[in-house]
Amino acid sequence: MPAFVDRARIFIRSGKGGDGHVSFRREKFVANGGPDGGDGGNGGNVIVCVDPGVNTLSDFHFGGKYKAENGEDGGKRRCHGKQGSDIIIKVPEGTVIKEAASGKVIVDMSGNTKEFVILKGGKGGNGNMHYATSTMQAPRYAQPGQPAKELEVILELKMIADVGLVGFPNVGKSTFLSKVSNAKPKVANYHFTTLTPMLGVVSLNDARGFVVADIPGLIEGASDGAGLGHEFLRHIERTRVMIHVVDAAGTEGRDPFEDIEAINNELAKYNADITKRLQVIAANKIDMLPDGENSEIIAKLKEKYEPLGVKVFPTSTLTGKGINELLYYISRELDKLPEDTIVFESEYDPETELKEENLAFTVEYDSDAKEYVIEGPKIEKMLGYTNLDSEKGFAFFQNFLVENGILDQLEELGIQDGDTVRMYGNSFDYYKNADTATGGNMIAEDEDNFDDFDNMEDEDEFNE
């Protein structure tokens, strides 16, 4: 039987957009054919979807890389590149996906969220057929495809259950679950806690049923990482009612009062909101008490906790005493609570966060070529959408360098008048100009390197 896995770390990557193509129509009897370079295909998306037939993250136990397909480059004769195939990652319902570095929630695959595009593929670049104008009949430029997006994420399974069973090891939680539901946990007199959370469905003849989760036994310090308890606290977060199962007979030498307080302290340290939810106490193993449900320990539990709104039910999983009363009470209380599944709100939007990262650039000095080199997706995008042949476009280019602090960085590196600056195959001469608002000017060394985009009218088009 495969191991139960409820946490995993994986690497995901969307597909890169295909590059646009540069080509020109070549046909017999057709002189000077126009540009006919096709567009690149869009890269594939990374999609997460809920698989109702899966209840563990064991498929991701060893991590792995999940990559969508890149889009194909465009071709001649206006042929568009093929779109990259999406990659679909199937997870159990209740899986919360977090950005690994920050731990922030990207999406909770619960409630109405059954499918989610976590990373969009890069858009394919336009072929040169899009860039012909009245003044530039033969553009030798095609737009590069947008880069892929990549991310390391953590998958956490938080079980979806109405009721959670909590308690120290060997107090009878697994036996309780097997008696009240269709779950079949392994039950034995072990001093070690159950290692696998179990779900069971409780069916009642004349009342609403509900789902119960047996949370592996907690120990003091679990919220701080002690033992195995902290690994399973996440499964309590969605429950609306909690049942404290305690050994009222003290057969293992435990004090039920101390156990309840210790568990509540661990829950509060993990997530204070959990302790505000409805709690019920199942004072178990009353068959081993001399006076049964009338024993002094039961009276003391009721005296302390029922004034706090915590109902105490004397129970015996051996004889079945008190179990029905407990189940019907919980059913009635659930009817009073909101039906909606607790869903964790998104805190991290990959589309926004990674867009900022992809727009980064570097400014460095190449001592071998004796040139200053500026690179990065933001620079490449700017060069692709700016008409450097026009006065207006080149002024926009100059302002871009100033507003992004590039000229300041060049001066910090010691650039002098006449030095060469290279950006993706395009070279410029730098000249300091204190009389202009820019504080510095770039002059293209070879204007033939740039295509004419007279339809680039303003910054909004640049940003599209």
Side-chain angles (χ1 to χ4, degrees):
M1 181 178 176
F4 179 84
V5 178
D6 61 357
R7 194 174 192 274
R9 181 188 293 253
I10 63 172
F11 173 87
I12 57 176
R13 183 181 186 274
S14 64
K16 175 190 176 299
D19 295 336
H21 189 69
V22 176
S23 60
F24 298 91
R25 185 181 173 195
R26 295 289 183 264
E27 294 182 25
K28 194 174 182 179
F29 307 120
V30 178
N32 302 320
D36 69 349
D39 301 340
N42 295 335
N45 300 323
V46 178
I47 301 173
V48 183
C49 70
V50 171
D51 184 346
V54 176
N55 59 9
T56 175
L57 295 173
S58 57
D59 288 346
F60 310 99
H61 184 47
F62 298 104
K65 298 182 178 180
Y66 297 81
K67 301 178 182 179
E69 189 178 31
N70 293 335
E72 289 186 354
D73 295 342
K76 58 185 179 180
R77 297 180 183 175
R78 298 177 176 259
C79 288
H80 290 230
K82 181 183 175 183
Q83 183 165 322
S85 298
D86 298 333
I87 184 168
I88 298 176
I89 300 173
K90 296 181 179 181
V91 298
E93 186 174 8
T95 300
V96 177
I97 302 172
K98 299 180 178 180
E99 195 272 325
S102 65
K104 293 181 178 179
V105 174
I106 298 173
V107 64
D108 183 352
M109 302 302 293
S110 306
N112 295 324
T113 305
K114 305 299 181 185
E115 185 174 292
F116 182 79
V117 178
I118 193 167
L119 288 182
K120 293 182 179 178
K123 186 179 179 182
N126 290 330
N128 70 331
M129 64 180 179
H130 292 278
Y131 299 112
T133 69
S134 58
T135 57
M136 177 59 71
Q137 299 291 327
R140 288 180 170 81
Y141 174 82
Q143 184 185 22
Q146 291 181 353
K149 298 183 181 72
E150 55 187 43
L151 198 61
E152 191 172 25
V153 298
I154 292 173
L155 309 180
E156 284 188 352
L157 177 58
K158 298 177 188 284
M159 284 187 169
I160 298 176
D162 301 300
V163 179
L165 297 179
V166 294
F168 276 75
N170 208 36
V171 294
K173 292 192 292 92
S174 296
T175 305
F176 181 91
L177 183 67
S178 67
K179 290 287 185 181
V180 304
S181 73
N182 59 352
K184 302 299 179 187
K186 293 181 180 179
V187 179
N189 188 27
Y190 297 127
H191 286 267
F192 297 99
T193 178
T194 304
L195 298 182
T196 301
M198 294 289 295
L199 285 179
V201 178
V202 175
S203 298
L204 300 173
N205 291 331
D206 51 355
R208 63 166 288 167
F210 49 88
V211 178
V212 181
D214 173 14
I215 311 302
L218 301 177
I219 61 174
E220 288 185 81
S223 60
D224 299 322
L228 291 170
H230 75 291
E231 293 292 337
F232 303 107
L233 279 166
R234 67 180 67 97
H235 297 299
I236 301 174
E237 293 186 77
R238 296 192 200 273
T239 59
R240 296 182 290 161
V241 177
M242 279 187 301
I243 302 176
H244 283 272
V245 182
V246 295
D247 181 358
T251 58
E252 298 292 327
R254 305 204 60 87
D255 183 312
F257 293 94
E258 292 179 0
D259 284 2
I260 293 169
E261 296 305 314
I263 293 292
N264 275 334
N265 286 337
E266 294 305 315
L267 297 177
K269 286 193 287 185
Y270 179 74
N271 183 342
D273 290 338
I274 295 177
T275 57
K276 298 175 184 177
R277 297 172 194 168
L278 179 65
Q279 296 190 20
V280 179
I281 295 173
N284 199 29
K285 302 187 181 182
I286 59 171
D287 54 283
M288 303 184 73
L289 288 171
D291 298 324
E293 62 184 297
N294 298 316
S295 295
E296 183 181 359
I297 186 68
I298 302 298
K300 287 183 176 180
L301 284 169
K302 289 184 176 183
E303 181 182 350
K304 179 173 181 178
Y305 290 104
E306 291 198 341
L308 302 177
V310 180
K311 189 79 171 172
V312 177
F313 288 88
T315 62
S316 169
T317 52
L318 180 65
T319 66
K321 182 72 174 179
I323 289 180
N324 274 346
E325 290 86 344
L326 170 61
L327 297 180
Y328 278 94
Y329 171 78
I330 290 174
S331 177
R332 291 192 298 271
E333 293 302 313
L334 285 172
D335 282 334
K336 303 174 185 177
L337 298 174
E339 287 281 353
D340 295 339
T341 299
I342 296 172
V343 177
F344 297 91
E345 297 295 329
S346 175
E347 303 167 320
Y348 183 98
D349 177 14
E351 194 68 18
T352 301
E353 301 284 347
L354 295 180
K355 183 177 181 181
E356 294 300 320
E357 292 179 17
N358 287 336
L359 291 180
F361 57 82
T362 58
V363 182
E364 298 174 341
Y365 179 67
D366 184 344
S367 57
D368 294 331
K370 296 183 178 178
E371 293 178 334
Y372 293 84
V373 182
I374 305 173
E375 293 183 331
K378 188 169 187 175
I379 305 299
E380 188 175 18
K381 181 174 181 179
M382 179 275 300
L383 289 172
Y385 284 100
T386 305
N387 176 14
L388 298 176
D389 280 344
S390 72
E391 182 178 350
K392 183 178 179 181
F394 203 80
F396 175 74
F397 167 68
Q398 296 273 49
N399 288 333
F400 169 85
L401 298 179
V402 174
E403 291 172 0
N404 287 276
I406 295 174
L407 292 184
D408 290 338
Q409 291 188 47
L410 287 170
E411 292 186 3
E412 288 175 7
L413 291 174
I415 195 168
Q416 301 294 321
D417 284 358
D419 286 348
T420 300
V421 179
R422 187 175 75 244
M423 301 183 197
Y424 290 97
N426 304 305
S427 295
F428 306 86
D429 288 337
Y430 174 88
Y431 288 97
K432 179 76 174 179
N433 185 351
D435 296 330
T436 66
T438 63
N441 279 330
M442 296 282 191
I443 299 177
E445 289 186 343
D446 183 2
E447 292 187 358
D448 291 336
N449 286 337
F450 307 112
D451 295 322
D452 188 355
F453 299 129
D454 286 337
N455 57 340
M456 172 63 73
E457 292 298 331
D458 52 33
E459 187 175 348
D460 289 339
E461 284 195 50
F462 166 76
N463 287 326
E464 285 182 357

